[in-house]
Amino acid sequence: MAQKLNKRASITDLAKILNLSPSTISRALNGHADISEATKQRVWEVAKELNYQPNHLAAALRRGRSNMLGVIVPHINGHFFPSIMHGIETVASKAGFNVMICQSNEDVQREKNNIDALLNAQVEGILVSLARTTHDFQHFEKVRQQNIPLVFFDRMPEVSSVSGVVLDDHQGAYMAVRHLLEQGCRRIAHFAGPQHLNIYSNRHKGYLNALQAFGLPHDEQLMHFLPKLQQNAGEQAMRELLQLAEPPDAIFGSGDIPVAGALEVLHAQGIRVPQDIALAGFSNEPFTTLTTPKLTSVDQRGEQMGHSAVQLFLQMLKRSDNFAPHRVVLKPQLHIRESSMR
């Protein structure tokens, strides 16, 4: 009977107990023909008794590959980032990669720590969506210096020297605001996100350009820049908008959650949606089909974004020495529902 160990059993431990060389243990565990069946059986009996678990990462590194793909997301709340993760894991798994997921929790320091952890794990590539508090990108240089493929998705630097997968956020916002204008709305308020992030600045530009296309000026009083696109922020912004001498006749939000907050305020004050104020959001969260009325929203195509991010990584891996930075732009889809149909 082998003595139980207080630590995880290794090949060296098995070798000492069985008085065999580590290389013999390794070959026995891998079923090599040059090891007798009796020895294989002895090795496996002791391995099972000690609850030996093969270190696949160490074995992969000895072969020169880890088969690990690192992913950093701001959070896994809601529907969007989990849908991206599903897309990433589906394609990565088919390509023979395991996925290591880190959350920055919207904190740039956590994002930096995530980068260090993934590099220490010797991942073969890193896919990342920036934290809300990330304003510079110097910490990503160490990834590129090690010639590890780096792919941004959704939130990424507005520079041409990096690869990434994004939605055409400008077009998505333009489509939503144009739809509200076509419904007869003329005083459309905007719940905007932090403008240093590409997704929110592009959605804001789409909002402004749609107004301009219809010959309408933008009104600073109708634009609320929210540090966090949360429900309470939408509620507060809606209350302030209703205090104006000329309240808005529509709301376009850069996210669905603050629009849901606006809907709560409108319900509480007996204001009809969409007859008095129409609503449209961005993200197409699952709850948008459960509200009364159902919310119009732009779909961000999260799963497809995940697929495309891994495919871009695989292309970079094959041509790491001569791969020019490339950006994949996905087309948005506007789901028109009762909240905006007049």
Side-chain angles (χ1 to χ4, degrees), residues 154 167-174 198-199 202-203 282 300:
D154 188 47
L167 186 78
D168 190 337
D169 291 284
H170 177 279
Q171 181 64 17
Y174 187 94
N198 61 305
I199 58 172
N202 288 331
R203 292 172 197 178
F282 210 113
Q300 289 182 273

Side-chain angles (χ1 to χ4, degrees), residues 54-167:
N55 190 334
H56 294 297
L57 177 58
L61 292 176
R62 284 194 296 272
R63 295 192 301 269
R65 294 194 60 184
S66 69
N67 286 357
M68 295 293 296
L69 176 60
V71 181
I72 304 175
V73 292
H75 54 78
I76 54 173
N77 301 328
H79 171 72
F80 179 55
F81 284 113
S83 70
I84 291 179
M85 289 310 312
H86 183 265
I88 287 173
E89 291 191 310
T90 299
V91 179
S93 177
K94 288 180 181 177
F97 286 86
N98 294 311
V99 178
M100 183 181 294
I101 304 170
C102 299
Q103 287 188 84
S104 67
N105 288 327
E106 300 285 14
D107 177 46
V108 65
Q109 187 56 52
R110 283 284 295 272
E111 184 176 88
K112 293 176 180 179
N113 294 342
N114 292 159
I115 288 289
D116 290 338
L118 293 175
L119 291 176
N120 287 335
Q122 304 209 27
V123 295
E124 294 193 51
I126 295 179
L127 314 183
V128 59
S129 186
L130 295 173
R132 186 176 57 242
T133 53
T134 300
H135 291 271
D136 70 80
F137 319 106
Q138 193 60 40
H139 50 292
F140 293 106
E141 278 304 308
K142 63 179 72 174
V143 181
R144 300 207 294 182
Q145 286 169 4
Q146 295 187 31
N147 204 30
I148 294 173
L150 175 65
V151 177
F152 291 91
F153 59 89
D154 188 47
R155 307 179 188 178
M156 66 179 293
E158 287 287 10
V159 294
S160 59
S161 59
V162 297
S163 293
V165 182
V166 294
L167 186 78

Side-chain angles (χ1 to χ4, degrees), residues 27 31-37 40:
R27 292 200 303 276
H32 278 244
D34 62 348
I35 304 296
S36 71
E37 289 302 319
K40 289 176 186 175

